[in-house]
Structures are given as C-alpha cells and as structure tokens.
Amino acid sequence: MRFTRSTGSNRNEKRAKAISRRRFVQATGVAGAVGIAGCSDFDENGEAGAPDQGGNGGGDDEDLFGISGWVGTADPMNLQFNPYNIETFHGLGIFEDFAAFETRRFIDDGVESWMPRAIGDWTIDEPVEGATVTVTPPTDRTWHDGDAITSEDIYTKLRLDMAFGNAIDQYIDSIEDTGDAVEFTLSQDVNPSVFTHELTAINLDTKRDIYAEWLEQVEDATTEDEINEIVGDLAGWNLEEPVGTSPYALEERSQQEFIYRPHDGHPLADEIDIDGLQVLPHADQGASWQSALSERVDMMAGGTPQETAEEILETDTFDKMFQNIFLIHLAVTFNYDHEVWRDPPVRRAIAYALDRDAATQAGGYVEGEWGRLREPQQDLHGINIGVEAFLDDEFIGTLTDYGYDEQRTDEAAAELESAGYERDSNDMWVDSSGEPLSMDFKVISSFSEFVRAGQSIEEQLTDFGIDVEVITQESTTFFDDLWDGDYDVGTGYWGGGMTPYVMYQKPFYDAPRDFQTTNHPDTVDVPMPVGETSGDVESIDVIDRLDELSTAGDDERVQEITRELAWVYNQTVPQIPIWSRYGQAFINTSDWEWLDLEAYDQKMETAHEELFLRGWPRGRL
C-alpha cells in the first residue's frame, strides 16, 4: 500500500479550514475530549454513592487488584472504543502509544528519552524535507486477540490519522507499507524533538482488519469533500468491543465492575503474577472517593481535596500517595478580538493586579505532609514542564516580574494610565469617555475549583477598580464558546506538552490547530533584543517563529526561538497562568509488589494508567 500526495496545493491550510470541531477533538484523542479539563463533573462534597461491591481485590478465589476508575459516563455499559468517535472512552490503558516519553528523566535532568512500546523502533534518515522515516512493528507483543502487530496496522493508523488531519499529517508527503515496515517521506524539514513527540504519542488503536473498510474508502477517495464525508461517518461509528495492545486486556464488564486480565502476548506478561484488575466504574469523583474510604479498592486516582486525602491515608489499605503532574493548566485567557483586551498594557495591568497565589488557594491549593493539589505559577514565560531544559536562571531574571503572591496595584495602575484609563469618583477605572473598564469572565461550572478561583479573581479585580462579572457555563457551552472565540476573558488553558512548540500553541494558535481561539495576531510588538525591557520596539511574527520551531534542527536556533517566544509571552501577556496542578493516586503498597515508586513521584502524567502500562503491580506480597 502506498499513498502519495498531489503537488501544487497548500494542503495544510486547506485541511485546517476543512476540519470540523468534531473531527479536531477526535484527532486529539480522548485526552482532547476529556483530559483537557483533567477531571470529571462532580460536586466537591462527593454526595453520589458508590456501587455495591465486595472487599478490595475481588472475590476470595481470585487475586484481583482493585481500582476505582472514572469512566466518563453514568452508564458503564454505554462505552465504545472507536478512537475517532468523539464519544469514545478507552478505559484503563487498553491501547498503548507508539512509545512512552520518560517524563521522570526529563524533569530530573532534561534528557529526552523514549521507550518503544506499540512500535518496535523508528528511524529518521535526516530531519529534512524528502528524508525517509521508517517505523517498524514490534516483535515482542501482540494484539489482545493474539494476532501479531504488523506494518499494516501501523499504516492503517497513520493513514486514518492523516485523513482526520492529525498533527502528524503535516509532516508526511508519501507513505508506504513495505510489508516489513512503514516508510514515509517528510514533506518539510523538522525539529527532531517536536517531530518525535508527535510521532511517538500516537496510540496503536486501529487494528487493520477492524478498520479495513474505512481505510479502503479513504484510499479510494479523490476529493477533500469525499474524505470529509468518510471521516464524518467514521466519527459516528461505534466500536463496542476493543482489541488492544496493553499488558492488561478487558475481559468482561458490567454496571458494577470491569475485569482486566494479564495479556500473554505482552513482554511484561511473565513478570505479572496476579489474576487481573477489578475496576469499579464511577461517573462521579465523589463516588470514587467513597470506594477508597470504604476500602473496596487498592488504588484510587484523581484530584482529591485535602480533608478527603487525609482520611484516605488514615485507612488500613492506603499507605502511599503517588502524585502526578498534569500537563494542561488553568490560565486567564484573553480574546484579542475584544477592543479592550487586545491592548497589551491592559493585559499587563491584570497580571500585576492579580494575586495568583490567592486565586490558587481559593481553587484548592494546599501543601503539607500529605501532598499538594495545585501551586501558583510564578514566572510568566509560558513553559510548564522541564523549564530548566529551555530557560536558565539568568534568562528568567531578565523577565518582567509581575508578582505572583501579592497584588502590585501601583504597577497595574501605571499600565492602565498608559493605556488612557483613569479612576473616577467611585475609584473605578474608566476610559477617556467615562466608560467603566469591565470584564465578562467565563468559567466552566462543572469544575468547582475553577469557579472558586474565578470568584477570587473577580473579588481581587473589583477591589482594584475593574467591574468583573463571572459567567458560569456548563461544559458543552463553555468549550463551544472557547473553540469559537465567543468570550472576552475566560478560564482557558496553558501548557499541554513536552516541547515549547506544543506549549506555545495555546496562546498563539487558534482552533482547529488548538482547541481554544484567542484570535492572537501573527505579529506583535515587543522591546528587543530579548531580555531588555528598555530596548527598541520591534515586530515579531510569532506564527513564523512557531513554524520555524517545528522545523529547526539546530539546537542553538531552537533555543534562540524558544527564548524569543518566552520573551514575547512575558512582555505581551497573552494569558496569565494561574496554577500548575497535580493529581493523586492513593495506593496499597503493603499488600502488593511495586517497583520504585519514589523515582516517579510527581514525574508522571496520568499515573494511574501509566503504572499499569508498565506492568505494575507485579504480584501480591
């Protein structure tokens, strides 16, 4: 099988315009649809009840490790596993991605390393246009039905992802299944780090024989309209029984439990000495907490209030709280289409006027021996993971310090005055015509921590003299508005990946490239050179810099562009990062065999899934 693009058209621009919201969310996978928020809709008091289950670990005749898991729906039987359907939910680690990024090593020492998983290996001749990338299937694992993972499966996945306009699509000019491997030619020069992150993050979740009909339709299509129709149909197709690749295969499910068994065709199978996993499905986080407090499970993961966390750790079952860092965080996000918020001095004034530590504490930040939920973001440069790998202390020292744990009202006032605002007789800020400076601040109502942080922001800015109204919206409306750019200021997101190229998409790119629309202009004016606030103002094309960042192969140039984007972020404040956030996994380590959990504490996203993809626990003590 071979696919080669026709020449003479700007396919990326056309595809970006053609892709629908539904298709984009699907192209990002379940993390795009669910992981954006990072938690389910729940009342923090957790009033919902848990299913009526027996003791943790299952029945007496089986050695099952019990887990409390959110399945994203009130009906656990209403799940399906087509990754291109926006209603999909994969369950607990059913599919493996091409390779696992070692977050721990990256945070510890800045080393980027990958562990091949659903593929055997990959090579890049050169990171230049026309070079060949070779992806080989693994020889040490099979699908859950026992079939070998083949190059046909990898080709199917990449080809369908291309049809959906996934990020990998922009790099591929032609692609061929040679029988032993999948080879594709690069359509442009690439930054090896950016490209590798895009490639390895792909899940192997489309077994060839299951998706053969869809692949054939895509291969036979001759126009963009035909492809749109095909992928639209595929986005609505339900796959009710998964065939995965991970160490544990889903064997049975009911309203009360999901049972996963070790998969013999996985390289970790010989090291796993338990009968399987028993997952109690919960659509409500409060019910999940109850299953832990009543000791019906051996592991519970999710953002947990301090009081509940302390109660869980006081049980006889849970003796370890494993923390994990999420990649996407809360940020006050501005819409540049708004005549007020497109003005840099006004955005800088908001950054000075906010005590982000207070907003974070209002949203649930607590630190102590038991752990932490969130911590305020101190420096405004837009990078959230592995800062030391991109920005050194000397550079950070040149950035404008807006203050994170206090309201710097004098500096904020100076910025507003430079923008033409003054205080009226009521000590409120007004423009030259006497119109009050006001903010409609949209907040997603489903996440109580966002609402509480929004209320803190409202109180702080109102005290400073800005008329703020918090507008809470249910999740569907909120994300639609964020996608469409139908807001003035809102609780958007920052971060989102392991490279600056991905992290800076949040403020600078719009949907469908990213799921939120800021209407940020291509070009902004900042004092230059980098690090000199008193320098001459120059126009910087941030989109051009981002595009170059995705293609630059020279480490020195990558560093230069990253610092320039960090400088632009700091000087123009397209967003105000509020917090970095953590999740918790409460684990029974007294009864089960684990590897060195301390080495991974605070260094792994979605730890509760990643632990099982690495074959933990290995057995009962």
Side-chain angles (χ1 to χ4, degrees):
M1 292 170 287
R2 181 179 179 84
F3 169 75
T4 304
R5 298 183 187 275
S6 60
T7 58
S9 65
N10 187 341
R11 61 176 180 273
N12 290 335
E13 181 179 350
K14 290 181 179 179
R15 176 59 50 81
K17 291 179 179 178
I19 203 167
S20 68
R21 178 178 186 273
R22 182 183 183 89
R23 287 177 59 191
F24 173 79
V25 173
Q26 264 314 290
T28 67
V30 77
V34 177
I36 280 170
C39 52
S40 60
D41 297 2
F42 63 87
D43 179 340
E44 184 171 339
N45 293 322
E47 295 299 329
D52 183 14
Q53 275 295 115
N56 60 312
D60 294 336
D61 58 338
E62 287 196 296
D63 206 13
L64 299 178
F65 182 88
I67 308 169
S68 177
W70 176 61
V71 296
T73 175
D75 182 1
M77 300 304 291
N78 191 31
L79 300 183
Q80 62 82 34
F81 301 88
N82 166 23
Y84 299 109
N85 188 317
I86 197 169
E87 302 298 335
T88 193
F89 189 80
H90 290 171
L92 183 69
I94 292 174
F95 302 111
E96 292 188 290
D97 47 16
F98 277 7
F101 181 75
E102 289 289 358
T103 312
R104 174 181 59 85
R105 293 197 63 192
F106 185 56
I107 292 177
D108 284 347
D109 53 26
V111 173
E112 290 192 352
S113 60
W114 286 263
M115 176 179 66
R117 198 137 69 182
I119 57 175
D121 199 3
W122 69 97
T123 59
I124 309 173
D125 286 352
E126 292 182 90
V128 297
E129 181 180 353
T132 300
V133 177
T134 303
V135 182
T136 57
T139 58
D140 60 352
R141 66 194 70 203
T142 69
W143 291 95
H144 286 164
D145 62 3
D147 289 350
I149 299 172
T150 68
S151 59
E152 286 186 329
D153 298 316
I154 296 173
Y155 177 89
T156 300
K157 176 59 181 176
L158 291 173
R159 188 67 186 89
L160 290 177
D161 271 18
M162 290 170 65
F164 271 83
N166 202 340
I168 198 67
D169 177 55
Q170 65 185 304
Y171 299 111
I172 299 178
D173 191 44
S174 63
I175 182 170
E176 179 180 10
D177 175 14
T178 66
D180 298 318
V182 174
E183 295 182 351
F184 58 87
T185 56
L186 292 174
S187 59
Q188 58 177 303
D189 294 353
V190 298
N191 176 327
S193 178
V194 171
F195 173 76
T196 303
H197 275 282
E198 298 287 1
L199 176 66
T200 55
I202 295 172
N203 278 335
L204 190 58
D205 50 20
T206 53
K207 192 169 184 284
R208 170 60 190 276
D209 56 7
I210 296 175
Y211 288 85
E213 178 183 346
W214 298 105
L215 176 64
E216 182 179 354
Q217 292 182 51
V218 167
E219 299 272 63
D220 290 343
T222 57
T223 67
E224 184 72 21
D225 287 343
E226 286 182 80
I227 291 179
N228 285 340
E229 183 176 354
I230 294 164
V231 299
D233 291 341
L234 178 52
W237 178 62
N238 288 351
L239 177 64
E240 296 183 358
E241 296 298 330
V243 179
T245 52
S246 65
Y248 292 96
L250 178 61
E251 180 178 277
E252 57 185 281
R253 56 187 165 123
S254 67
Q255 295 282 356
Q256 289 75 36
E257 65 178 6
F258 285 35
I259 301 297
Y260 297 77
R261 304 291 184 186
H263 171 48
D264 291 339
H266 195 279
L268 295 174
D270 291 340
E271 301 179 40
I272 299 174
D273 189 26
I274 62 175
D275 292 323
L277 311 174
Q278 177 197 43
V279 178
L280 308 187
H282 299 309
D284 181 280
Q285 188 69 26
S288 190
W289 299 332
Q290 290 300 320
S291 68
L293 289 169
S294 57
E295 302 182 73
R296 287 193 291 266
V297 293
D298 296 291
M299 179 175 178
M300 190 281 290
T304 307
Q306 178 188 12
E307 296 81 4
T308 305
E310 290 172 343
E311 289 179 24
I312 292 173
L313 291 173
E314 289 174 357
T315 65
D316 292 334
T317 295
F318 297 98
D319 47 21
K320 169 69 177 176
M321 187 181 78
F322 183 100
Q323 295 190 90
N324 52 287
I325 299 173
F326 290 99
L327 296 182
I328 303 178
H329 311 285
L330 171 66
V332 174
T333 300
F334 300 99
N335 188 345
Y336 276 66
D337 254 4
H338 194 279
E339 60 181 356
V340 171
W341 307 116
R342 71 167 63 110
D343 196 0
V346 179
R347 296 193 303 275
R348 288 195 294 265
I350 302 300
Y352 277 123
L354 283 181
D355 180 339
R356 285 172 279 137
D357 182 59
T360 302
Q361 291 190 44
Y365 164 73
V366 182
E367 186 171 16
E369 291 184 0
W370 74 278
R372 54 188 170 180
L373 286 176
R374 300 168 183 85
E375 61 185 4
Q377 182 65 18
Q378 298 186 25
D379 303 305
L380 265 66
H381 49 60
I383 292 179
N384 67 310
I385 292 291
V387 175
E388 295 81 2
F390 306 111
L391 309 175
D392 57 32
D393 290 341
E394 182 179 357
F395 171 78
I396 291 176
T398 68
L399 300 176
T400 297
D401 181 5
Y402 293 93
Y404 78 96
D405 58 356
E406 62 178 339
Q407 288 186 273
R408 297 190 174 179
T409 53
D410 289 345
E411 291 92 337
E415 290 285 1
L416 287 184
E417 288 168 356
S418 73
Y421 291 88
E422 61 183 13
R423 289 190 184 273
D424 65 9
S425 58
N426 296 317
D427 213 24
M428 301 295 287
W429 289 99
V430 296
D431 63 18
S432 57
S433 63
E435 189 70 22
L437 176 57
S438 62
M439 175 191 293
D440 287 343
F441 187 40
K442 288 190 175 181
V443 179
I444 183 170
S445 61
S446 306
F447 309 130
S448 57
E449 66 270 35
F450 283 29
V451 175
R452 294 194 303 271
Q455 291 168 342
S456 173
I457 291 168
E458 177 185 30
E459 181 179 354
Q460 291 182 46
L461 294 182
T462 300
D463 288 345
F464 175 60
I466 298 175
D467 183 17
V468 180
E469 180 183 1
V470 170
I471 301 171
T472 57
Q473 295 180 301
E474 56 84 24
S475 58
T476 300
T477 302
F478 176 83
F479 284 118
D480 281 345
D481 286 356
L482 198 63
W483 172 278
D484 294 331
D486 184 13
Y487 65 97
D488 299 341
V489 186
T491 49
Y493 296 87
W494 70 287
M498 290 293 180
T499 67
Y501 173 68
V502 175
M503 296 176 201
Y504 286 123
Q505 291 189 20
K506 289 284 180 292
F508 298 139
Y509 277 139
D510 288 336
R513 185 68 170 269
D514 190 47
F515 71 89
Q516 59 189 21
T517 294
T518 65
N519 293 300
H520 193 283
D522 290 357
T523 302
V524 294
D525 295 333
V526 294
M528 293 292 285
V530 166
E532 295 187 15
T533 55
S534 59
D536 294 334
V537 173
E538 294 183 18
S539 293
I540 303 297
D541 190 326
V542 292
I543 301 303
D544 178 72
R545 297 297 193 275
L546 271 172
D547 288 344
E548 186 180 355
L549 193 59
S550 74
T551 63
D554 179 73
D555 289 342
E556 185 175 341
R557 180 55 179 156
V558 169
Q559 190 82 351
E560 183 180 354
I561 297 171
T562 299
R563 293 188 174 205
E564 198 167 304
L565 291 172
W567 180 247
V568 168
Y569 193 101
N570 178 259
Q571 294 298 296
T572 65
V573 192
Q575 298 176 299
I576 303 174
I578 300 299
W579 62 51
S580 297
R581 62 196 176 95
Y582 297 79
Q584 295 80 34
F586 299 88
I587 306 173
N588 177 354
T589 63
S590 298
D591 299 326
W592 301 89
E593 176 191 353
W594 297 89
L595 298 187
D596 182 12
L597 293 180
E598 297 296 336
Y600 289 93
D601 196 15
Q602 301 183 26
K603 300 179 180 70
M604 186 184 294
E605 192 186 26
T606 59
H608 53 297
E609 287 195 9
E610 188 62 27
L611 289 173
F612 299 107
L613 289 174
R614 301 192 184 200
W616 303 342
R618 297 296 165 86
R620 185 180 284 276
L621 295 174

